[in-house]
Amino acid sequence: MSEELPAYAERVLEVAERIPPGRVMTYGDVAEWLGEGGPRQVGRVMALYGGAVPWWRVVRADGLPLPGHEVRALEHYRTEATPLRLTAGGEPRLDMRRARWDGSPGQDGGQDDGRDEAHI
């Protein structure tokens, strides 16, 4: 494998690095923000190259932690005070309404938005 990343992969990883602690974007959000590709392409980039960036901040739209990475992702979410909620079955899931970041500079997660109340 070449050391140079494909241009699209670089752009996806740059977006992942911009997501503030305590916030997330879905694969589709990243593609929409970039104006190219789609959720599957973003997911593929994250699967191949995402280990060097905060991968846990790029998530599935349903808010469930990435299969096989649940424990590590939940550790990051708890450390960063990312809003979580419990499913009816008692499983932790991201509270997408509160955790989702739209890419705007003012929505950096550093403001007091009551996230601690929903932190599990």
Side-chain angles (χ1 to χ4, degrees):
M1 183 167 69
S2 169
E3 288 188 34
E4 187 173 325
L5 291 176
Y8 182 71
E10 285 185 24
R11 290 190 294 277
V12 168
L13 298 178
E14 286 172 5
V15 173
E17 289 177 327
R18 292 180 52 136
I19 302 169
R23 297 290 189 178
V24 298
M25 290 180 94
T26 67
Y27 299 117
D29 292 340
V30 171
E32 184 177 330
W33 197 87
L34 287 171
E36 62 181 310
R40 290 178 188 258
Q41 289 84 1
V42 171
R44 181 76 173 148
V45 168
M46 294 304 295
L48 292 174
Y49 309 110
V53 299
W55 54 267
W56 58 92
R57 296 182 194 154
V58 181
V59 301
R60 297 168 22 157
D62 63 8
L64 288 173
L66 187 63
H69 300 280
E70 299 92 345
V71 172
R72 287 181 49 214
L74 285 169
E75 288 172 5
H76 288 292
Y77 298 144
R78 290 182 173 128
T79 298
E80 296 182 355
T82 307
L84 299 170
R85 64 182 180 84
L86 293 177
T87 65
E91 296 295 319
R93 176 182 287 204
L94 288 161
D95 183 340
M96 294 301 290
R97 184 181 60 79
R98 297 175 73 207
R100 203 170 197 166
W101 187 60
D102 65 7
S104 63
Q107 192 191 24
D108 64 2
Q111 61 216 15
D112 183 15
D113 61 1
R115 289 185 296 131
D116 289 339
E117 294 174 13
H119 182 63
I120 297 174

